[in-house]
């Protein structure tokens, strides 16, 4: 599986790259108290410097060695924050205060979506935020693998509650105007199930 992503980064076939952090995302992370943030599937880690500038401790991970090499080369001052890792094998204590989702869920085959939701719930502290840009489209093939809003809600509830959802005006062309900035709040343990 890593070969699929390594080839794309090596050959520069990365149409999901290059998006700017939206005003909603920047405002959200600027308002948050300094905390620990996970940036899964970071690719070239274009959002990493802005998150660091907001005062957060950030761990940017990607499955692809090529993506990690590009990210470290692009952001040498932040290379210590970039790690090659399998999202599903990450175990962090204490849990993260927030996860910045950016084209990660839609990169995963649907058979991994339930594991994604479980791992997000494990990695985030109660009250923490799964915040980011989600691809809302009912697409049977991918990547990108889109989800309908009802499918996304079914996937993330009851561990998360949707706090906000706004369409993105300046998204990435490959997502065809179907990107939404969302904040999903991690429920406290006694609120689960």
């Amino acid at each position: 599986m890593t070969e699929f992503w390594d080839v794309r980064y090596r050959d520069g076939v990365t149409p999901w790259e290059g998006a700017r952090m939206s005003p909603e995302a920047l405002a959200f992370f600027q308002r948050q108290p300094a905390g620990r943030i996970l940036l899964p599937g970071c690719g070239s880690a274009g959002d990493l410097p802005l998150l660091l500038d907001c005062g957060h401790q950030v761990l940017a991970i990607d499955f692809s060695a090529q993506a990690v090499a590009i990210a470290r080369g692009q952001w040498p001052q932040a290379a210590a924050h970039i790690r090659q890792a399998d999202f599903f094998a990450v175990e962090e204590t204490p849990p993260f205060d927030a996860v910045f989702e950016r084209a990660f869920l839609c990169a995963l085959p649907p058979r991994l979506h339930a594991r994604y939701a479980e791992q997000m719930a494990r990695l985030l502290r109660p009250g923490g935020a799964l915040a980011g840009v989600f691809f809302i489209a009912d697409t049977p093939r991918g990547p990108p693998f889109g989800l309908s809003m009802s499918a996304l809600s079914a996937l993330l509830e009851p561990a998360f509650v949707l706090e906000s959802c706004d369409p993105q005006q300046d998204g990435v062309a490959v997502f065809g105007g179907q990107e939404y900035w969302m904040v999903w709040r991690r429920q406290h343990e006694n609120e689960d199930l």
Side-chain angles (χ1 to χ4, degrees), residues 30-44:
Q30 286 174 332
R31 283 192 312 267
Q32 300 304 302
R36 298 181 70 234
I37 297 179
L38 177 65
L39 184 57
C42 68
S44 65

Side-chain angles (χ1 to χ4, degrees), residues 122-155:
R122 272 194 295 275
L123 290 173
L124 274 165
R125 67 168 175 77
L130 169 55
V133 180
F134 290 82
F135 176 47
I136 302 300
D138 204 0
T139 55
R141 298 183 55 144
F145 298 98
L147 286 171
S148 67
M149 191 59 207
S150 61
L152 180 61
S153 294
L155 180 68

Side-chain angles (χ1 to χ4, degrees), residues 18-31:
R20 290 192 194 115
M21 187 179 285
S22 70
E24 296 92 345
L26 186 55
F28 175 83
F29 286 107
Q30 286 174 332
R31 283 192 312 267

Side-chain angles (χ1 to χ4, degrees), residues 9 16-22 26 39-53 58 60-62 67-68 70-75 77-78 81-82 100 102:
Y9 276 96
W16 57 87
E17 290 276 352
R20 290 192 194 115
M21 187 179 285
S22 70
L26 186 55
L39 184 57
C42 68
S44 65
D47 298 307
L48 177 60
L50 287 173
L51 293 172
L52 291 171
D53 288 347
V58 184
I61 63 169
D62 204 289
V68 168
I70 290 167
R72 286 181 177 158
Q74 187 167 311
W75 313 111
Q77 73 283 11
H81 297 273
I82 304 165
F100 185 29
R102 164 81 81 165

Side-chain angles (χ1 to χ4, degrees), residues 51-162:
L51 293 172
L52 291 171
D53 288 347
C54 290
H56 300 292
Q57 297 172 19
V58 184
L59 173 60
I61 63 169
D62 204 289
F63 199 47
S64 165
Q66 287 292 319
V68 168
I70 290 167
R72 286 181 177 158
Q74 187 167 311
W75 313 111
Q77 73 283 11
H81 297 273
I82 304 165
R83 184 188 320 162
Q84 184 180 2
D86 178 350
F87 167 76
F88 297 106
V90 172
E91 293 184 27
E92 289 286 322
T93 305
F96 290 96
D97 299 297
V99 174
F100 185 29
E101 161 69 43
R102 164 81 81 165
F104 179 60
L105 175 59
C106 68
L108 298 173
R111 64 183 166 75
L112 295 177
H113 288 178
R115 284 185 62 203
Y116 165 96
E118 291 165 7
Q119 180 69 337
M120 284 296 179
R122 272 194 295 275
L123 290 173
L124 274 165
R125 67 168 175 77
L130 169 55
V133 180
F134 290 82
F135 176 47
I136 302 300
D138 204 0
T139 55
R141 298 183 55 144
F145 298 98
L147 286 171
S148 67
M149 191 59 207
S150 61
L152 180 61
S153 294
L155 180 68
L156 295 178
E157 296 168 353
F160 296 90
V161 170
L162 183 61

